[in-house]
Amino acid sequence: MTSSFAPMPDAEGFFGPYGGQIVPPVLKQVMDDIGRAYAEITRREDFQQELAGLLADYVGRPSPIFHARRLSERLGGAQIHLKREDLNHTGAHKINHCLGEALLAKFMGKKKVIAETGAGQHGVALATACALVGIPCEIHMGQVDIEKEHPNVTKMRILGCRLVAVTRGAATLKEAVDSAFEEYLSNPQDYFYAIGSVVGPHPFPMMVRDFQSVIGREARQQFMERHGRLPDYACACVGGGSNAMGLFTAFLGDAEVRLVGVEPAGEGTDRPGRHAATLSMGKPGQIHGMKCYVLENAQGEPDVVHSIASGLDYPGVGPQHSYLKDVGRVRYDTVTDQECLDAFMTLSRVEGIIPALESAHAVAWAMRTAPTLPRDGHILVNLSGRGDKDADYVAQVLDL
Ligand SMILES: *Cc1c(COP(=O)(O)O)cnc(C)c1O
């Protein structure tokens, strides 16, 4: 497992100038302990075997690659291939790192796993992994979000996690983060904080990336076996950036594979506060214990952001993405809410696959790009999740 991991970050958790640990000294100690335990435990045979077994028999890996023939045909250009993370148990890529984190917490002897959740996707994936691994789970969620996200709230309760309703302030994601973090800091020796993307202080961006990199390892091998070559493009949507790093990591050394991260342009990148295109429109700064690109307001605070896909509306982004942008290895492009909706409907009607609104951003980019490429060109799209969660909302917006 360890041998196939990319060499980044450095010992201090930096990807070039990004990443690191912008945290108080007590927390630095705790993060360093997690980093050491992570290195030791993930090297162990029993850990690797248990994780590999669960990824196969529980998550259902490897996820297939589907050649979207009808979609490609209709667009009249390059062939579009979908890495089907939507077929994983719980319906998205998040289970890959939640399982890794829950198992790591168990091997570390932790007594409780804590996290916040916004729309509830991370909460459900983590509650699932904790139920499986047999470790108590506590999810903090804003009262406003609890009222909005009923199916996910119900699932978390069924899965047996303790749901903490946060009523302070605006009672949404930011307050949930604060609340979860306070609980964590009350006993960091016994608790494990499970971060939901490749963000936060070192070692989290590295750990989450490593647990997600199974996506790209599988995809590279599957594509090679079927086509005897690698794709011309590999693309994925970027919120915090975990599904994209999961796909990209295996291809970083393949110069012929162009990598594209797709950010949400929302209602337009010319409208501050109405998009969440952090790498495309932001600048280097810091947020949530790390240095990375950030969207800031005039006061230098993290800006309000928007995307039709709630999993993509984050004003920061993973430090490795920030680095990969600066060195030019990955290109970051944007897709609007409208283009996302068009791709959501087209993929549903032409291929019978309802994608998550997040994933539909990557599909939209492929749909825009395929016609500009020859028919023997290949675009690999990471279909990060399924769209069941978005179906009612889309039907309402489009008056279906
Ligand atoms: C949460 C989520 C995302 C965004 O998270 P990343 O860390 O950027 O991958 C994308 N797709 C789906 C289906 C999600 O649930």
Side-chain angles (χ1 to χ4, degrees):
M1 195 167 171
T2 353
S3 59
S4 57
F5 289 171
M8 295 201 102
D10 69 16
E12 265 68 59
F14 280 97
F15 304 86
Y18 303 107
Q21 296 171 318
I22 309 176
V23 293
V26 295
L27 209 53
K28 185 174 172 357
Q29 193 69 46
V30 175
M31 293 299 141
D32 288 343
D33 287 347
I34 296 174
R36 262 191 303 277
Y38 172 74
E40 255 163 50
I41 290 169
T42 52
R43 227 182 280 128
R44 276 165 52 178
E45 189 72 17
D46 54 346
F47 179 88
Q48 292 187 19
Q49 276 187 4
E50 190 166 348
L51 183 58
L54 293 175
L55 288 174
D57 304 336
Y58 185 76
V59 178
R61 307 206 67 91
S63 62
I65 291 182
F66 173 70
H67 179 192
R69 279 201 181 78
R70 282 185 17 98
L71 180 65
S72 309
E73 205 48 36
R74 169 186 284 226
L75 295 166
Q79 304 306 305
I80 295 176
H81 307 266
L82 308 173
K83 177 63 171 164
R84 299 289 309 273
E85 291 299 298
D86 61 315
L87 294 179
N88 294 342
H89 177 48
T90 66
H93 72 288
K94 284 194 174 74
I95 191 70
N96 299 327
H97 70 250
C98 285
L99 209 49
E101 287 182 310
L103 206 55
L104 179 65
K106 190 178 94 169
F107 270 72
M108 287 175 76
K110 299 288 184 183
K111 297 191 171 60
K112 181 164 79 178
V113 173
I114 300 172
E116 79 287 342
T117 193
Q121 296 302 112
H122 177 51
V124 171
L126 193 64
T128 301
C130 288
L132 171 73
V133 165
I135 190 166
C137 176
E138 182 176 300
I139 306 286
H140 294 238
M141 189 170 184
Q143 183 62 38
V144 170
D145 291 330
I146 287 179
E147 279 153 30
K148 275 203 323 219
E149 306 289 346
H150 234 274
N152 281 340
V153 170
T154 308
K155 281 185 202 164
M156 284 186 273
R157 291 211 166 104
I158 291 173
L159 289 163
C161 86
R162 187 173 126 77
L163 190 70
V164 177
V166 182
T167 53
R168 68 178 87 161
T172 59
L173 182 60
K174 187 190 169 294
E175 292 75 25
V177 173
D178 295 342
S179 168
F181 216 69
E182 281 164 23
E183 175 63 15
Y184 174 62
L185 288 182
S186 73
N187 188 355
Q189 297 314 317
D190 286 341
Y191 300 161
F192 187 92
Y193 197 95
I195 292 186
S197 188
V198 285
V199 298
H202 178 67
F204 283 94
M206 172 183 77
M207 293 193 319
V208 173
R209 174 203 65 198
D210 291 351
F211 288 134
Q212 285 296 347
S213 63
V214 64
I215 300 174
R217 279 201 305 279
E218 285 175 7
R220 192 178 185 284
Q221 189 186 345
Q222 289 166 319
F223 206 91
M224 212 32 141
E225 278 169 10
R226 191 172 311 167
H227 302 281
R229 51 164 290 192
L230 294 175
D232 300 292
Y233 288 88
C235 72
C237 64
V238 178
S242 66
N243 88 89
M245 277 319 307
L247 180 69
F248 295 167
T249 299
F251 295 101
L252 286 174
D254 301 311
E256 73 270 36
V257 182
R258 274 166 273 198
L259 303 174
V260 180
V262 185
E263 295 195 297
E267 293 166 7
T269 51
D270 55 344
R271 298 188 59 190
R274 300 309 299 162
H275 66 80
T278 308
L279 290 158
S280 305
M281 304 302 292
K283 58 182 202 306
Q286 62 181 65
I287 185 171
H288 293 148
M290 60 173 170
K291 292 187 177 167
C292 64
Y293 273 75
V294 183
L295 285 169
E296 291 180 346
N297 62 19
Q299 286 74 48
E301 297 150 356
D303 207 349
V304 182
V305 287
H306 159 84
S307 167
I308 191 168
S310 58
L312 300 182
D313 60 357
Y314 180 55
V317 67
Q320 193 167 6
H321 284 292
S322 303
Y323 171 78
L324 290 168
K325 173 191 163 76
D326 283 6
V327 298
R329 177 63 188 96
V330 180
R331 191 179 123 205
Y332 294 88
D333 206 342
T334 65
V335 154
T336 63
D337 286 351
Q338 188 57 54
E339 291 173 296
C340 164
L341 276 174
D342 291 346
F344 178 98
M345 288 309 298
T346 302
L347 192 68
S348 298
R349 297 202 165 168
V350 176
E351 299 288 3
I353 297 172
I354 303 176
L357 283 171
E358 290 81 4
S359 324
H361 282 75
V363 176
W365 185 87
M367 286 173 56
R368 186 205 290 162
T369 306
T372 70
L373 301 171
R375 279 169 189 274
D376 61 355
H378 295 282
I379 302 176
L380 175 63
V381 179
N382 200 22
L383 201 73
S384 54
R386 67 182 180 222
D388 303 35
K389 66 186 179 60
D390 303 311
D392 286 344
Y393 174 76
V394 172
Q396 188 192 321
V397 169
L398 299 180
D399 200 16
L400 298 176

